[in-house]
């Protein structure tokens, strides 16, 4: 059996979200000479999102497969909406405030066309058919997560829930990961193709994990970490297939919740970082916009000031994420669940553990 609360997978979310934050802040960090040798690593931060997609399929399958049925799908969607939407809409509102400040100071709107797509942004469907990154640009992945909850999760349930052949599941994971790595995903309309294969691979991986309760997960996690280091080092030219395989091995191994990697990721501060990682992911671009405006006003000339402001930005991201989690994400989720239109709650376990991006 998989542990009910996989702290290591919650902890790994913190580092994945932080990697994305540093990726979007890399241009500013590039001005700091001591950071330049690590610029190559920061530039790969976008690869954390595919890891979130695999993790999402894995954990949602773990949490819901035992009590899910197609007749409960509307309730499942409501519970996911309760977790997803409050922080999303609050982040958009914060950007509207930012745009209002810009209008007051400059007298013009940065992008007036963004208001035309606001209804599609707020309903989390805009990037189903569009690749444009407007408003809160990291939210494109939330749009496709919403697509996955609506359509991919029931497909994964029907496809993998009853499979007991380990070889079939292993081949399914391999084919799905390879399909995402080698198919021309970027040529598909919108952004939904970015999650389809990875989410399903995560779901199949979860089913395989259930069939291997006594597997040496510690060594699998170590193998995944080593493969990840090798894959991003440039030794294999940043091989995307190897990176995806490393993510799958790491998630699979950490799900056994044992060994020194799991021990590190299960420390309380790191787990807390994982708990607030969705709010961190959704608000860091907002913080970056405000930060860029402040930096432009005061000017950044000396190395010492750049280092201070870099730490200030990271601190502001963490404080904002914590505030959004405690003031918006958690209370709104609880309020929406309390006022659920569904009488029964057969799929109560909507825990704040490693649920992909959220």
């Amino acid at each position: 059996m998989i542990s009910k609360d996989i702290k290591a997978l919650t902890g790994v979310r913190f580092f994945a979200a932080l990697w994305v934050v540093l990726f979007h802040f890399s241009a500013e960090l590039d001005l700091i000479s001591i950071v330049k040798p690590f610029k190559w690593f920061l530039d790969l931060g976008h690869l954390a999102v595919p890891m979130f997609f695999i993790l999402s399929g894995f954990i949602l399958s773990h949490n819901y497969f035992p009590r899910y049925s197609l007749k409960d799908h509307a309730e499942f969607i409501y519970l996911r909406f309760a977790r997803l939407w409050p922080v999303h809409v609050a982040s958009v509102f914060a950007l509207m405030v930012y745009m209002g400040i810009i209008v007051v100071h400059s007298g013009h709107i940065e992008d007036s066309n963004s208001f035309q797509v606001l209804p599609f942004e707020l309903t989390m469907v805009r990037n189903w058919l569009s690749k444009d990154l407007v408003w809160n640009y990291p939210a494109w992945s939330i749009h496709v997560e919403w697509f996955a909850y609506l359509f991919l999760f029931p497909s994964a349930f029907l496809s993998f829930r009853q499979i007991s052949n380990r070889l079939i599941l292993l081949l399914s994971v391999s084919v799905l990961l390879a399909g995402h790595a080698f198919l021309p995903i970027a040529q598909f309309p919108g952004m939904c193709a970015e999650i389809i294969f990875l989410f399903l691979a995560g779901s199949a991986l979860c089913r395989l994990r259930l069939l291997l309760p006594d597997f040496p997960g510690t060594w699998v996690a170590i193998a995944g970490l080593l493969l990840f280091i090798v894959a991003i080092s440039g030794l294999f030219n940043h091989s995307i297939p190897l990176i995806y395989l490393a993510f799958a091995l790491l998630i699979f191994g950490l799900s056994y919740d044992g060994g020194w990697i799991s021990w590190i990721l299960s420390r309380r501060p790191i787990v807390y970082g994982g708990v607030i990682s969705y709010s961190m992911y959704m608000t860091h671009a907002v913080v970056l916009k405000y930060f860029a405006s402040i930096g432009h006003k005061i000017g950044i000339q000396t190395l010492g000031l750049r280092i201070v402001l870099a730490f200030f930005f990271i601190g502001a991201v963490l404080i904002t994420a914590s505030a959004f989690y405690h003031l918006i994400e958690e209370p709104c989720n609880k309020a929406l669940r309390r006022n659920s239109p569904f009488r029964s709650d057969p799929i109560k376990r909507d825990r704040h553990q490693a649920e992909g991006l959220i």
Side-chain angles (χ1 to χ4, degrees):
M1 294 294 293
I2 306 178
S3 171
K4 291 183 178 180
D5 184 15
I6 314 173
K7 292 183 178 180
L9 289 182
T10 303
V12 81
R13 285 174 57 194
F14 170 66
F15 289 105
L18 185 60
W19 197 14
V20 175
V21 172
L22 295 176
F23 167 70
H24 287 137
F25 192 56
S26 61
E28 288 76 9
L29 291 174
D30 194 37
L31 299 174
I32 303 175
S33 57
I34 59 176
V35 176
K36 287 185 177 180
F38 306 98
K39 182 67 162 55
W40 63 272
F41 177 74
L42 302 183
D43 288 342
L44 295 174
H46 61 94
L47 292 173
V49 178
M51 181 183 184
F52 278 131
F53 291 159
I54 299 172
L55 189 57
S56 182
F58 185 98
I59 290 296
L60 287 176
S61 298
H62 163 50
N63 282 350
Y64 292 109
F65 271 13
R67 54 189 39 77
Y68 174 85
S69 67
L70 293 180
K71 66 181 179 63
D72 296 321
H73 189 60
E75 183 177 359
F76 168 80
I77 291 300
Y78 180 83
L79 294 176
R80 304 319 303 157
F81 174 85
R83 289 276 287 118
L84 206 67
W85 193 74
V87 171
H88 171 64
V89 72
S91 300
V92 172
F93 177 76
L95 284 173
M96 293 178 71
V97 172
Y98 168 81
M99 293 178 69
I101 295 172
I102 295 299
V103 170
V104 170
H105 281 79
S106 65
H108 70 276
I109 299 177
E110 283 186 334
D111 183 8
S112 59
N113 293 329
S114 60
F115 285 93
Q116 298 177 7
V117 300
L118 185 58
F120 302 100
E121 184 73 26
L122 292 176
T123 53
M124 302 181 293
V125 299
R126 186 180 56 77
N127 283 115
W128 288 12
L129 296 175
S130 172
K131 294 184 183 294
D132 296 334
L133 301 180
V134 298
W135 289 104
N136 189 18
Y137 51 82
W140 73 265
S141 52
I142 301 306
H143 298 183
V144 302
E145 281 270 354
W146 183 235
F147 172 86
Y149 302 155
L150 286 167
F151 305 111
L152 295 185
F153 183 80
S155 300
F157 177 80
L158 294 174
S159 299
F160 304 122
R161 178 67 176 87
Q162 300 298 327
I163 295 180
S164 299
N165 189 304
R166 300 169 186 176
L167 180 58
I168 291 177
L169 289 167
L170 180 61
L171 289 174
S172 297
V173 173
S174 302
V175 169
L176 288 165
L177 292 178
H180 187 86
F182 294 110
L183 289 176
I185 297 296
Q187 296 180 19
F188 286 78
M191 305 290 281
C192 290
E194 298 288 341
I195 195 174
I196 293 174
F197 294 98
L198 299 176
F199 185 92
L200 293 175
S203 181
L205 191 67
C206 176
R207 179 58 183 164
L208 179 63
R209 165 65 178 84
L210 286 171
L211 296 176
L212 296 171
D214 300 317
F215 207 72
T218 299
W219 293 105
V220 176
I222 293 174
L225 180 61
L226 292 176
L227 182 60
F228 172 72
I229 294 171
V230 171
I232 67 170
S233 68
L235 187 62
F236 292 96
N237 197 28
H238 301 148
S239 171
I240 297 300
L242 287 182
I243 292 173
Y244 291 165
L245 177 59
F247 288 158
L249 291 174
L250 192 59
I251 291 169
F252 186 85
L254 291 176
S255 70
Y256 287 86
D257 222 10
W260 62 270
I261 302 177
S262 291
W263 183 88
I264 293 173
L265 292 174
S266 298
R267 297 307 88 198
R268 184 174 296 180
I270 296 176
V271 171
Y272 178 75
V275 168
I276 66 170
S277 62
Y278 174 54
S279 287
M280 185 197 310
Y281 181 86
M282 290 298 290
T283 60
H284 77 273
V286 180
V287 176
L288 182 55
K289 279 186 175 291
Y290 282 95
F291 176 84
S293 298
I294 296 172
H296 176 72
K297 291 292 184 182
I298 66 177
I300 304 176
Q301 300 297 328
T302 66
L303 175 61
L305 183 57
R306 289 170 180 167
I307 294 175
V308 169
L309 288 178
F311 278 104
F312 175 79
F313 169 73
I314 299 300
V317 167
L318 294 174
I319 292 171
T320 302
S322 183
F324 264 64
Y325 173 76
H326 290 289
L327 299 177
I328 298 173
E329 181 181 344
E330 187 176 34
C332 288
N333 180 34
K334 289 181 178 179
L336 287 169
R337 290 173 65 92
R338 276 197 307 269
N339 295 283
S340 171
F342 301 93
R343 286 190 173 185
S344 62
D345 195 2
I347 43 182
K348 285 183 179 180
R349 279 196 309 168
D350 196 29
R351 299 185 301 275
H352 286 130
Q353 61 164 298
E355 297 183 359
L357 280 170
I358 62 171

